[in-house]
Amino acid sequence: MVFSSLIFVFAFLPVVYIVNIILKNRVSNLFLLGCSLLFYAWGEPLYVFLMLFSGLVNYTLTLTMDAKQDRRKQFLILTVVFNLILLGVFKYADFIILSINSLTGSAIPYLHLPLPIGISFYTFQTMSYVIDVYYRETPVQKNFFSLLLYITFFPQLIAGPIVKYHDIAVEIDHRAVKLNGTVHGLRRFVFGLSKKVLLANTMAIVVDGLYKLPNNEISTSIAWVAAIAYLFQIYFDFSGYSDMAIGMGEMFGFHFLENFNYPYIASSLRDFWRRWHISLSSWFRLYVYIPLGGNRKGIPRALLNQVIIFFLTGLWHGASWTFVVWGLYHGLFLILEQTILNVGKWPRFLRHFYTLLVVLIGFVIFRSATFAQALVFLRSMFLFHPTTGIGARQLMVLLTPTTWFMFVVCIVASTPIAKFIRTYDQKRIGNSLSYGIAIVLWFACLFSLAATAYNPFIYFRF
């Protein structure tokens, strides 16, 4: 994995960038499409054909939908059902079979299909295009290869952000690669890589080391350290990938929307979801919540719609009831905020503390392999259990001075302090400070990749 990441950084990305500059837009689209397919085939040599098949079916059905004005709705339904079946078979088939077998006592054999990398992301992107064409938010794309580039573009193909077609429709055919954009994109890429390699990977060592302990060794201190470490791991892992994707997109003349906005400074769960995985939240709001009626049909219906959205949000993250419960847990607190809690009138500190605590507990459920493991960690967090034996030794091994320092860095990097520094740097120093920091971080990432085992991005499996 280290070798593959170094090939990407030192060979694939520079070569693709240089050749893309030389080529004109239409030819460069074909070139970028070929490189994106090669990039995906490097990790999924067979499932690249599944992605091509999905793109061809969606392209054909959407063209037909646009041509047959009197049957638009039927073709929309057909296209959406096709995408959901494709996602359901490869991601949820065994989960459904397991649930049926558990409830009925039957013995339906499992399919054991490997999960295609990024299938949730590119399926949602494709459906957003189809729905936008149906509602005439964007014109139908008659060039198959241009549509396929949108679906497969390698910077955000396997872990987002989820890009809506109408956000980059113009740039697919008309874009310019500028030196300023390249430099900004490289800086953004390095900062994202640093989040992943230096922060998320350090936290991952702590999380994995504590979550593999036997249940009887999970003390109060172990449970809290693991929970806080995972809070940072998942944020810097996912936001780091989003930063890398946005940076690479800018290098090639594409401008993707932001996917994170300092979610850990949120003052309510509603505020948190405006800041966390923004592309997924906005996707569900536009394509599910509003079509269900949103808040236009009264408060009870609006609350029900929110429950549906967060059930789907949890299910989107993985084929497990722990993810579903995590989604419903967030939905429950959103409903409580709107009906009982009245969070907006609380003192600022209390609002932040409440939000972080709810998010932290939710991520314990999200990270746990089973409900039993989640309950063990949650019980230990709130009912005192001393640290002894194997657990104490594991804490001593994992919590090195470097790890403690990284915890402090994670706290600082989770706040807008870095944003304020960049703004000051841009206005007073001409970006020299941020570029200097980026160079230092770049070499730190290279040393870290060479010295430690590489951890894949968490959201690759979604």
Side-chain angles (χ1 to χ4, degrees):
M1 292 298 292
V2 173
F3 181 67
S4 296
S5 61
L6 292 176
I7 287 179
F8 176 80
V9 170
F10 288 107
F12 181 83
L13 184 58
V15 169
V16 174
Y17 173 77
I18 292 171
V19 175
N20 178 68
I21 292 177
I22 298 171
L23 299 174
K24 293 184 178 180
N25 261 9
R26 288 195 177 276
V27 181
S28 75
N29 280 353
L30 292 175
F31 173 71
L32 289 177
L33 172 60
C35 292
S36 297
L37 294 175
L38 177 64
F39 174 80
Y40 191 82
W42 184 273
E44 297 279 15
L46 292 178
Y47 280 155
V48 70
F49 296 105
L50 175 70
M51 187 167 58
L52 288 170
F53 173 69
S54 171
L56 179 60
V57 171
N58 279 277
Y59 168 76
T60 304
L61 291 177
T62 308
L63 270 182
T64 308
M65 177 183 71
D66 190 64
K68 296 184 180 296
Q69 295 294 319
D70 58 327
R71 301 176 61 190
R72 289 174 65 84
K73 191 168 186 177
Q74 291 92 321
F75 276 98
L76 170 68
I77 293 171
L78 178 62
T79 310
V80 171
V81 167
F82 165 79
N83 284 291
L84 293 178
I85 288 176
L86 198 68
L87 186 61
V89 168
F90 285 93
K91 187 169 182 176
Y92 300 107
D94 283 350
F95 171 63
I96 294 171
I97 292 171
L98 172 64
S99 300
I100 293 173
N101 288 347
S102 299
L103 289 172
T104 65
S106 55
I108 303 172
Y110 298 104
L111 299 183
H112 295 298
L113 293 172
L115 179 65
I117 294 176
I119 188 171
S120 295
F121 288 95
Y122 70 73
T123 300
F124 269 38
Q125 284 200 180
T126 307
M127 285 199 292
S128 75
Y129 161 72
V130 175
I131 298 170
D132 283 350
V133 171
Y134 173 78
Y135 285 111
R136 295 185 173 88
E137 295 289 335
T138 190
V140 68
Q141 175 57 263
K142 296 182 179 180
N143 186 317
F144 173 62
F145 299 108
S146 294
L147 178 63
L148 201 58
L149 175 62
Y150 157 70
I151 296 171
T152 67
F153 190 39
F154 71 88
Q156 43 72 230
L157 169 61
I158 51 183
I162 301 170
V163 178
K164 299 178 186 68
Y165 180 78
H166 58 73
D167 288 333
I168 63 166
V170 174
E171 292 175 338
I172 288 177
D173 295 319
H174 306 284
R175 64 183 179 277
V177 178
K178 300 179 180 179
L179 178 60
N180 192 43
T182 297
V183 174
H184 286 173
L186 277 172
R187 180 181 61 179
R188 185 70 178 268
F189 176 84
V190 171
F191 284 149
L193 183 66
S194 303
K195 284 183 177 181
K196 166 60 181 169
V197 173
L198 303 179
L199 301 181
N201 282 5
T202 301
M203 295 297 106
I205 293 171
V206 176
V207 173
D208 294 344
L210 296 180
Y211 264 87
K212 72 180 181 182
L213 287 171
N215 286 344
N216 61 350
E217 294 290 342
I218 306 302
S219 65
T220 300
S221 57
I222 286 174
W224 276 100
V225 169
I228 294 171
Y230 189 69
L231 187 77
F232 290 134
Q233 182 197 353
I234 192 169
Y235 170 61
F236 288 112
D237 187 287
F238 194 19
S239 69
Y241 186 93
S242 294
D243 287 343
M244 292 168 67
I246 292 169
M248 285 187 286
E250 191 171 0
M251 290 170 60
F252 290 97
F254 291 93
H255 295 85
F256 304 145
L257 298 180
E258 294 295 332
N259 207 22
F260 289 88
N261 183 24
Y262 301 101
Y264 292 161
I265 68 168
S267 57
S268 67
L269 257 291
R270 179 177 292 275
D271 187 26
F272 173 81
W273 280 101
R274 291 192 185 110
R275 298 169 176 273
W276 177 273
H277 202 345
I278 299 168
S279 63
L280 181 67
S281 303
S282 64
W283 196 99
F284 275 119
R285 180 176 58 84
L286 284 174
Y287 302 119
V288 182
Y289 181 71
I290 292 176
L292 285 174
N295 58 3
R296 302 187 305 274
K297 297 184 178 182
I299 294 177
R301 179 63 181 271
L303 297 178
L304 175 61
N305 290 341
Q306 289 183 23
V307 170
I308 294 172
I309 291 302
F310 278 93
F311 169 81
L312 295 175
T313 299
L315 192 62
W316 180 89
H317 280 83
S320 170
W321 285 110
T322 54
F323 294 123
V324 173
V325 169
W326 170 78
L328 292 174
Y329 166 85
H330 275 266
L332 171 64
F333 273 93
L334 279 169
I335 291 173
L336 291 175
E337 285 185 2
Q338 296 173 69
T339 57
I340 299 174
L341 296 180
N342 201 12
V343 177
K345 294 185 178 180
W346 296 6
R348 181 183 296 271
F349 170 78
L350 188 58
R351 296 202 306 267
H352 288 306
F353 178 79
Y354 146 80
T355 304
L356 265 183
L357 182 62
V358 171
V359 170
L360 180 79
I361 293 172
F363 277 140
V364 172
I365 300 170
F366 188 95
R367 173 57 177 82
S368 298
T370 63
F371 287 121
Q373 186 180 43
L375 289 173
V376 167
F377 272 84
L378 292 173
R379 183 172 62 245
S380 296
M381 287 170 67
F382 297 101
L383 297 175
F384 179 73
H385 291 273
T387 305
T388 58
I390 298 174
R393 290 192 293 273
Q394 185 75 312
L395 274 182
M396 291 180 63
V397 170
L398 294 173
L399 297 182
T400 64
T402 301
T403 304
W404 282 114
F405 174 73
M406 286 301 181
F407 269 109
V408 175
V409 174
C410 285
I411 294 172
V412 174
S414 300
T415 70
I417 290 176
K419 183 179 179 180
F420 295 149
I421 293 174
R422 284 199 303 271
T423 302
Y424 177 84
D425 181 32
Q426 185 177 9
K427 291 180 177 179
R428 302 292 181 89
I429 311 178
N431 286 319
S432 57
L433 176 61
S434 61
Y435 286 120
I437 293 173
I439 293 171
V440 173
L441 291 176
W442 168 251
F443 285 105
C445 288
L446 294 183
F447 289 137
S448 180
L449 283 172
T452 60
Y454 175 72
N455 293 303
F457 289 94
I458 292 174
Y459 271 69
F460 275 16
R461 62 193 176 104
F462 302 141

Short mmCIF file of all heavy atoms in Angstrom, two decimals, residues 69-108:
data_model
loop_
_atom_site.label_atom_id
_atom_site.label_comp_id
_atom_site.label_asym_id
_atom_site.label_seq_id
_atom_site.Cartn_x
_atom_site.Cartn_y
_atom_site.Cartn_z
N GLN A 69 -40.91 12.74 -23.85
CA GLN A 69 -41.44 13.69 -22.88
C GLN A 69 -42.67 13.16 -22.14
O GLN A 69 -42.89 13.50 -20.98
CB GLN A 69 -41.78 15.00 -23.58
CG GLN A 69 -40.57 15.73 -24.16
CD GLN A 69 -39.62 16.21 -23.07
OE1 GLN A 69 -40.05 16.70 -22.04
NE2 GLN A 69 -38.33 16.05 -23.30
N ASP A 70 -43.47 12.34 -22.83
CA ASP A 70 -44.70 11.85 -22.21
C ASP A 70 -44.45 10.71 -21.23
O ASP A 70 -45.37 10.29 -20.52
CB ASP A 70 -45.69 11.40 -23.29
CG ASP A 70 -45.10 10.31 -24.18
OD1 ASP A 70 -43.87 10.33 -24.41
OD2 ASP A 70 -45.87 9.45 -24.66
N ARG A 71 -43.23 10.19 -21.19
CA ARG A 71 -42.92 9.06 -20.30
C ARG A 71 -41.70 9.36 -19.42
O ARG A 71 -41.00 8.45 -18.99
CB ARG A 71 -42.67 7.79 -21.14
CG ARG A 71 -43.87 7.39 -22.00
CD ARG A 71 -43.56 6.21 -22.88
NE ARG A 71 -43.21 5.03 -22.08
CZ ARG A 71 -42.71 3.90 -22.63
NH1 ARG A 71 -42.50 3.84 -23.92
NH2 ARG A 71 -42.44 2.88 -21.85
N ARG A 72 -41.48 10.61 -19.14
CA ARG A 72 -40.30 11.01 -18.36
C ARG A 72 -40.29 10.36 -16.98
O ARG A 72 -39.27 9.86 -16.52
CB ARG A 72 -40.26 12.54 -18.22
CG ARG A 72 -39.92 13.27 -19.49
CD ARG A 72 -40.04 14.77 -19.31
NE ARG A 72 -39.07 15.29 -18.35
CZ ARG A 72 -37.82 15.61 -18.64
NH1 ARG A 72 -37.38 15.45 -19.88
NH2 ARG A 72 -37.01 16.08 -17.73
N LYS A 73 -41.44 10.39 -16.31
CA LYS A 73 -41.49 9.87 -14.94
C LYS A 73 -41.21 8.38 -14.90
O LYS A 73 -40.51 7.89 -14.01
CB LYS A 73 -42.85 10.17 -14.31
CG LYS A 73 -42.88 9.90 -12.82
CD LYS A 73 -44.13 10.46 -12.18
CE LYS A 73 -44.08 10.32 -10.66
NZ LYS A 73 -45.26 10.93 -10.01
N GLN A 74 -41.75 7.63 -15.89
CA GLN A 74 -41.52 6.19 -15.93
C GLN A 74 -40.03 5.88 -16.09
O GLN A 74 -39.49 4.98 -15.43
CB GLN A 74 -42.31 5.53 -17.06
CG GLN A 74 -43.82 5.52 -16.85
CD GLN A 74 -44.50 6.74 -17.45
OE1 GLN A 74 -43.98 7.85 -17.39
NE2 GLN A 74 -45.67 6.51 -18.04
N PHE A 75 -39.37 6.64 -16.97
CA PHE A 75 -37.94 6.38 -17.18
C PHE A 75 -37.10 6.85 -15.99
O PHE A 75 -36.06 6.27 -15.69
CB PHE A 75 -37.47 7.04 -18.47
CG PHE A 75 -37.74 6.21 -19.70
CD1 PHE A 75 -38.84 6.46 -20.50
CD2 PHE A 75 -36.91 5.16 -20.02
CE1 PHE A 75 -39.10 5.68 -21.62
CE2 PHE A 75 -37.15 4.37 -21.14
CZ PHE A 75 -38.26 4.64 -21.95
N LEU A 76 -37.56 7.90 -15.31
CA LEU A 76 -36.86 8.31 -14.09
C LEU A 76 -36.93 7.19 -13.06
O LEU A 76 -35.89 6.81 -12.47
CB LEU A 76 -37.50 9.58 -13.52
CG LEU A 76 -37.02 9.97 -12.12
CD1 LEU A 76 -35.56 10.40 -12.15
CD2 LEU A 76 -37.90 11.06 -11.51
N ILE A 77 -38.11 6.66 -12.84
CA ILE A 77 -38.28 5.58 -11.87
C ILE A 77 -37.44 4.37 -12.27
O ILE A 77 -36.76 3.76 -11.42
CB ILE A 77 -39.77 5.19 -11.75
CG1 ILE A 77 -40.57 6.35 -11.14
CG2 ILE A 77 -39.94 3.93 -10.90
CD1 ILE A 77 -42.06 6.15 -11.17
N LEU A 78 -37.46 4.02 -13.55
CA LEU A 78 -36.68 2.87 -14.03
C LEU A 78 -35.20 3.06 -13.77
O LEU A 78 -34.50 2.14 -13.31
CB LEU A 78 -36.94 2.67 -15.53
CG LEU A 78 -36.17 1.52 -16.21
CD1 LEU A 78 -36.55 0.19 -15.59
CD2 LEU A 78 -36.44 1.53 -17.71
N THR A 79 -34.70 4.27 -14.03
CA THR A 79 -33.27 4.55 -13.85
C THR A 79 -32.88 4.52 -12.38
O THR A 79 -31.84 3.95 -12.01
CB THR A 79 -32.91 5.92 -14.47
OG1 THR A 79 -33.42 6.00 -15.79
CG2 THR A 79 -31.40 6.11 -14.51
N VAL A 80 -33.70 5.14 -11.53
CA VAL A 80 -33.41 5.14 -10.09
C VAL A 80 -33.46 3.73 -9.53
O VAL A 80 -32.60 3.33 -8.74
CB VAL A 80 -34.39 6.07 -9.35
CG1 VAL A 80 -34.24 5.91 -7.84
CG2 VAL A 80 -34.14 7.53 -9.74
N VAL A 81 -34.46 2.95 -9.94
CA VAL A 81 -34.57 1.56 -9.48
C VAL A 81 -33.36 0.75 -9.91
O VAL A 81 -32.81 -0.04 -9.13
CB VAL A 81 -35.88 0.92 -10.00
CG1 VAL A 81 -35.85 -0.60 -9.78
CG2 VAL A 81 -37.08 1.53 -9.31
N PHE A 82 -32.91 0.96 -11.14
CA PHE A 82 -31.70 0.26 -11.61
C PHE A 82 -30.52 0.56 -10.70
O PHE A 82 -29.78 -0.34 -10.29
CB PHE A 82 -31.37 0.67 -13.05
CG PHE A 82 -29.98 0.29 -13.48
CD1 PHE A 82 -29.68 -1.02 -13.85
CD2 PHE A 82 -28.96 1.23 -13.49
CE1 PHE A 82 -28.40 -1.37 -14.23
CE2 PHE A 82 -27.67 0.89 -13.86
CZ PHE A 82 -27.39 -0.42 -14.24
N ASN A 83 -30.30 1.83 -10.39
CA ASN A 83 -29.17 2.22 -9.54
C ASN A 83 -29.29 1.64 -8.13
O ASN A 83 -28.30 1.18 -7.55
CB ASN A 83 -29.07 3.74 -9.47
CG ASN A 83 -28.49 4.34 -10.74
OD1 ASN A 83 -27.31 4.16 -11.04
ND2 ASN A 83 -29.30 5.04 -11.50
N LEU A 84 -30.51 1.66 -7.58
CA LEU A 84 -30.70 1.13 -6.23
C LEU A 84 -30.51 -0.38 -6.19
O LEU A 84 -29.97 -0.93 -5.22
CB LEU A 84 -32.09 1.52 -5.72
CG LEU A 84 -32.31 3.01 -5.47
CD1 LEU A 84 -33.74 3.27 -5.00
CD2 LEU A 84 -31.31 3.55 -4.45
N ILE A 85 -30.95 -1.07 -7.25
CA ILE A 85 -30.75 -2.53 -7.31
C ILE A 85 -29.26 -2.84 -7.39
O ILE A 85 -28.75 -3.74 -6.72
CB ILE A 85 -31.50 -3.13 -8.51
CG1 ILE A 85 -33.00 -3.11 -8.25
CG2 ILE A 85 -31.03 -4.56 -8.78
CD1 ILE A 85 -33.83 -3.60 -9.41
N LEU A 86 -28.54 -2.08 -8.23
CA LEU A 86 -27.10 -2.29 -8.37
C LEU A 86 -26.40 -2.10 -7.02
O LEU A 86 -25.57 -2.93 -6.60
CB LEU A 86 -26.54 -1.31 -9.40
CG LEU A 86 -25.18 -1.63 -9.99
CD1 LEU A 86 -25.25 -2.87 -10.88
CD2 LEU A 86 -24.67 -0.45 -10.81
N LEU A 87 -26.75 -1.01 -6.34
CA LEU A 87 -26.16 -0.74 -5.03
C LEU A 87 -26.60 -1.80 -4.02
O LEU A 87 -25.78 -2.28 -3.22
CB LEU A 87 -26.60 0.64 -4.55
CG LEU A 87 -25.98 1.19 -3.26
CD1 LEU A 87 -24.48 1.31 -3.38
CD2 LEU A 87 -26.60 2.54 -2.90
N GLY A 88 -27.86 -2.20 -4.08
CA GLY A 88 -28.39 -3.17 -3.13
C GLY A 88 -27.75 -4.53 -3.26
O GLY A 88 -27.42 -5.18 -2.26
N VAL A 89 -27.55 -4.99 -4.49
CA VAL A 89 -26.97 -6.32 -4.71
C VAL A 89 -25.55 -6.39 -4.18
O VAL A 89 -25.17 -7.33 -3.48
CB VAL A 89 -27.02 -6.69 -6.20
CG1 VAL A 89 -26.17 -7.93 -6.48
CG2 VAL A 89 -28.46 -6.93 -6.65
N PHE A 90 -24.75 -5.40 -4.51
CA PHE A 90 -23.33 -5.47 -4.17
C PHE A 90 -23.01 -5.00 -2.75
O PHE A 90 -22.00 -5.40 -2.18
CB PHE A 90 -22.50 -4.67 -5.18
CG PHE A 90 -22.37 -5.35 -6.51
CD1 PHE A 90 -23.27 -5.09 -7.53
CD2 PHE A 90 -21.37 -6.28 -6.73
CE1 PHE A 90 -23.16 -5.73 -8.75
CE2 PHE A 90 -21.24 -6.92 -7.94
CZ PHE A 90 -22.14 -6.65 -8.96
N LYS A 91 -23.87 -4.16 -2.18
CA LYS A 91 -23.56 -3.64 -0.85
C LYS A 91 -24.42 -4.24 0.25
O LYS A 91 -23.96 -4.41 1.38
CB LYS A 91 -23.71 -2.12 -0.86
CG LYS A 91 -23.26 -1.46 0.44
CD LYS A 91 -23.17 0.05 0.30
CE LYS A 91 -22.68 0.69 1.59
NZ LYS A 91 -22.51 2.16 1.46
N TYR A 92 -25.69 -4.56 -0.07
CA TYR A 92 -26.62 -4.92 0.99
C TYR A 92 -27.19 -6.33 0.90
O TYR A 92 -27.97 -6.72 1.77
CB TYR A 92 -27.79 -3.92 1.01
CG TYR A 92 -27.35 -2.50 1.24
CD1 TYR A 92 -27.35 -1.57 0.21
CD2 TYR A 92 -26.91 -2.10 2.50
CE1 TYR A 92 -26.94 -0.26 0.42
CE2 TYR A 92 -26.49 -0.79 2.71
CZ TYR A 92 -26.50 0.12 1.67
OH TYR A 92 -26.09 1.40 1.89
N ALA A 93 -26.83 -7.09 -0.13
CA ALA A 93 -27.44 -8.40 -0.31
C ALA A 93 -27.23 -9.30 0.90
O ALA A 93 -28.18 -9.88 1.44
CB ALA A 93 -26.91 -9.06 -1.58
N ASP A 94 -25.98 -9.44 1.34
CA ASP A 94 -25.71 -10.33 2.47
C ASP A 94 -26.31 -9.79 3.77
O ASP A 94 -26.71 -10.57 4.64
CB ASP A 94 -24.20 -10.52 2.63
CG ASP A 94 -23.63 -11.49 1.60
OD1 ASP A 94 -24.43 -12.14 0.90
OD2 ASP A 94 -22.39 -11.58 1.48
N PHE A 95 -26.37 -8.48 3.91
CA PHE A 95 -27.00 -7.88 5.09
C PHE A 95 -28.49 -8.22 5.12
O PHE A 95 -29.03 -8.56 6.18
CB PHE A 95 -26.79 -6.36 5.04
CG PHE A 95 -27.56 -5.60 6.07
CD1 PHE A 95 -27.33 -5.77 7.42
CD2 PHE A 95 -28.53 -4.67 5.68
CE1 PHE A 95 -28.05 -5.06 8.37
CE2 PHE A 95 -29.24 -3.96 6.61
CZ PHE A 95 -29.00 -4.14 7.96
N ILE A 96 -29.15 -8.13 3.99
CA ILE A 96 -30.58 -8.47 3.90
C ILE A 96 -30.78 -9.95 4.19
O ILE A 96 -31.69 -10.34 4.95
CB ILE A 96 -31.14 -8.11 2.51
CG1 ILE A 96 -31.11 -6.58 2.34
CG2 ILE A 96 -32.55 -8.63 2.35
CD1 ILE A 96 -31.43 -6.13 0.93
N ILE A 97 -29.92 -10.79 3.60
CA ILE A 97 -30.02 -12.24 3.83
C ILE A 97 -29.81 -12.57 5.30
O ILE A 97 -30.54 -13.37 5.89
CB ILE A 97 -29.01 -13.00 2.95
CG1 ILE A 97 -29.39 -12.86 1.47
CG2 ILE A 97 -28.95 -14.47 3.35
CD1 ILE A 97 -28.35 -13.39 0.51
N LEU A 98 -28.81 -11.93 5.92
CA LEU A 98 -28.55 -12.15 7.35
C LEU A 98 -29.75 -11.76 8.19
O LEU A 98 -30.14 -12.50 9.11
CB LEU A 98 -27.32 -11.34 7.78
CG LEU A 98 -27.01 -11.31 9.28
CD1 LEU A 98 -26.66 -12.71 9.78
CD2 LEU A 98 -25.87 -10.34 9.57
N SER A 99 -30.37 -10.62 7.87
CA SER A 99 -31.53 -10.16 8.63
C SER A 99 -32.70 -11.12 8.48
O SER A 99 -33.39 -11.44 9.46
CB SER A 99 -31.92 -8.75 8.17
OG SER A 99 -30.86 -7.84 8.37
N ILE A 100 -32.93 -11.59 7.25
CA ILE A 100 -34.02 -12.54 7.01
C ILE A 100 -33.76 -13.85 7.73
O ILE A 100 -34.65 -14.42 8.39
CB ILE A 100 -34.19 -12.79 5.49
CG1 ILE A 100 -34.69 -11.52 4.80
CG2 ILE A 100 -35.17 -13.95 5.25
CD1 ILE A 100 -34.73 -11.62 3.29
N ASN A 101 -32.54 -14.35 7.65
CA ASN A 101 -32.20 -15.61 8.32
C ASN A 101 -32.36 -15.49 9.84
O ASN A 101 -32.83 -16.42 10.50
CB ASN A 101 -30.76 -16.01 7.99
CG ASN A 101 -30.62 -16.51 6.55
OD1 ASN A 101 -31.61 -16.79 5.88
ND2 ASN A 101 -29.39 -16.63 6.08
N SER A 102 -31.97 -14.33 10.38
CA SER A 102 -32.08 -14.14 11.83
C SER A 102 -33.53 -14.06 12.29
O SER A 102 -33.89 -14.58 13.35
CB SER A 102 -31.35 -12.85 12.24
OG SER A 102 -29.98 -12.93 11.90
N LEU A 103 -34.38 -13.43 11.47
CA LEU A 103 -35.78 -13.25 11.86
C LEU A 103 -36.62 -14.50 11.64
O LEU A 103 -37.53 -14.80 12.43
CB LEU A 103 -36.38 -12.08 11.07
CG LEU A 103 -35.90 -10.68 11.45
CD1 LEU A 103 -36.43 -9.65 10.45
CD2 LEU A 103 -36.34 -10.33 12.86
N THR A 104 -36.32 -15.26 10.59
CA THR A 104 -37.17 -16.39 10.21
C THR A 104 -36.57 -17.75 10.52
O THR A 104 -37.26 -18.76 10.46
CB THR A 104 -37.49 -16.33 8.70
OG1 THR A 104 -36.28 -16.49 7.95
CG2 THR A 104 -38.13 -14.99 8.35
N GLY A 105 -35.28 -17.76 10.85
CA GLY A 105 -34.62 -19.04 11.09
C GLY A 105 -34.28 -19.79 9.83
O GLY A 105 -33.90 -20.97 9.87
N SER A 106 -34.40 -19.13 8.67
CA SER A 106 -34.09 -19.78 7.40
C SER A 106 -32.58 -19.84 7.21
O SER A 106 -31.81 -19.31 8.01
CB SER A 106 -34.75 -19.02 6.24
OG SER A 106 -34.36 -17.66 6.26
N ALA A 107 -32.16 -20.49 6.13
CA ALA A 107 -30.73 -20.66 5.87
C ALA A 107 -30.42 -20.28 4.42
O ALA A 107 -29.82 -21.05 3.67
CB ALA A 107 -30.29 -22.09 6.15
N ILE A 108 -30.83 -19.09 4.03
CA ILE A 108 -30.55 -18.61 2.68
C ILE A 108 -29.04 -18.42 2.53
O ILE A 108 -28.41 -17.77 3.38
CB ILE A 108 -31.28 -17.29 2.40
CG1 ILE A 108 -32.80 -17.46 2.62
CG2 ILE A 108 -31.00 -16.79 0.99
CD1 ILE A 108 -33.57 -16.15 2.57
#
